[in-house]
Amino acid sequence: MNELVARLRAAGGDYDDVEVKSAAGGLPQSLASTLSALANRPGGGTIILGLDEATGFRPVQLSDPQALKQGLAHKARSFSPPVQLTISDAEVDGAPVIVARVHECGPSAKPCRITASGTAYMRGYDGDFPLSDLEEQAFLAARKPPLFDRQPVPGATREDLDSDLVAAFLRSVRERDPHGLGRFPDDAELL
């Protein structure tokens, strides 16, 4: 932690993967956009509560660190999909700070949005910016369907399937695609 704070002090500002908030008066309103932006960022990022950027990243007195951690965890649930956090305690210059590691959202679930507004953010150096239409399309294009349901179930047979649903499926395929898959007269072959 001391090495990171030394780098922040030397740079005089936050990084694209690190955001510092004083949180002296509680959780800041701007935290929502930062959580979304870091969850959308490759590799995620880190939020440090309890340092004041305006005073050279010096510690501030946190009135109720436990309430801040609970509030942070609660706020993380207000996203679609929920933001995954690892919250820990640390010290800077002998004063307590809260460190929240924001994990990158899975590619098939991006972009991570604030549920209430539907807005998603990207990180740009020391700021959070709403996604452009083009950035949004890039996230959506990168999505891949889940593949976990493509594995055969060991020991399963056709008799395990609901016969009414199978019959409805076969009828539907034959009606929709009579010259494609529907051309197979044998049910087993079509399945």
Side-chain angles (χ1 to χ4, degrees):
M1 175 57 63
N2 290 331
E3 181 181 318
L4 174 59
V5 173
R7 282 188 13 224
L8 290 166
R9 287 174 177 165
D14 296 324
Y15 289 103
D16 67 333
D17 64 337
V18 179
E19 178 70 23
V20 174
K21 306 279 190 187
S22 82
L27 285 179
Q29 291 295 325
S30 62
L31 197 58
S33 62
T34 301
L35 285 166
S36 170
L38 290 175
N40 286 325
R41 184 185 173 283
T46 302
I47 296 172
I48 303 171
L49 302 178
L51 296 178
D52 186 1
E53 184 174 353
T55 63
F57 297 98
R58 299 289 172 223
V60 298
Q61 180 68 35
L62 296 176
S63 59
D64 190 349
Q66 191 63 26
L68 285 172
K69 289 186 277 189
Q70 289 172 344
L72 190 57
H74 179 73
K75 185 169 272 306
R77 305 298 302 164
S78 65
F79 294 83
S80 297
V83 172
Q84 301 299 309
L85 297 176
T86 302
I87 302 171
S88 58
D89 296 308
E91 280 191 9
V92 173
D93 300 339
V97 296
I98 298 167
V99 179
R101 174 78 181 113
V102 180
H103 301 279
E104 178 183 2
C105 183
S108 64
K110 283 182 182 179
C112 177
R113 303 174 184 282
I114 300 170
T115 304
S117 68
T119 307
Y121 291 84
M122 287 291 293
R123 190 86 174 141
Y125 184 60
D126 187 12
D128 308 316
F129 304 95
L131 285 183
S132 69
D133 291 340
L134 188 59
E135 290 166 326
E136 172 113 11
Q137 287 305 312
F139 275 129
L140 297 177
R143 285 185 176 180
K144 293 185 173 51
L147 302 176
F148 63 87
D149 62 346
R150 294 192 179 194
Q151 297 300 316
V153 177
T157 66
R158 182 173 170 199
E159 285 71 40
D160 294 322
L161 300 174
D162 182 310
S163 60
D164 292 336
L165 289 176
V166 169
F169 170 75
L170 293 170
R171 237 183 348 270
S172 170
V173 168
R174 288 190 172 111
E175 289 170 6
R176 275 187 295 119
D177 191 16
H179 302 292
L181 290 176
R183 74 181 184 280
F184 294 106
D186 179 72
D187 290 352
E189 189 176 5
L190 175 56
L191 287 173

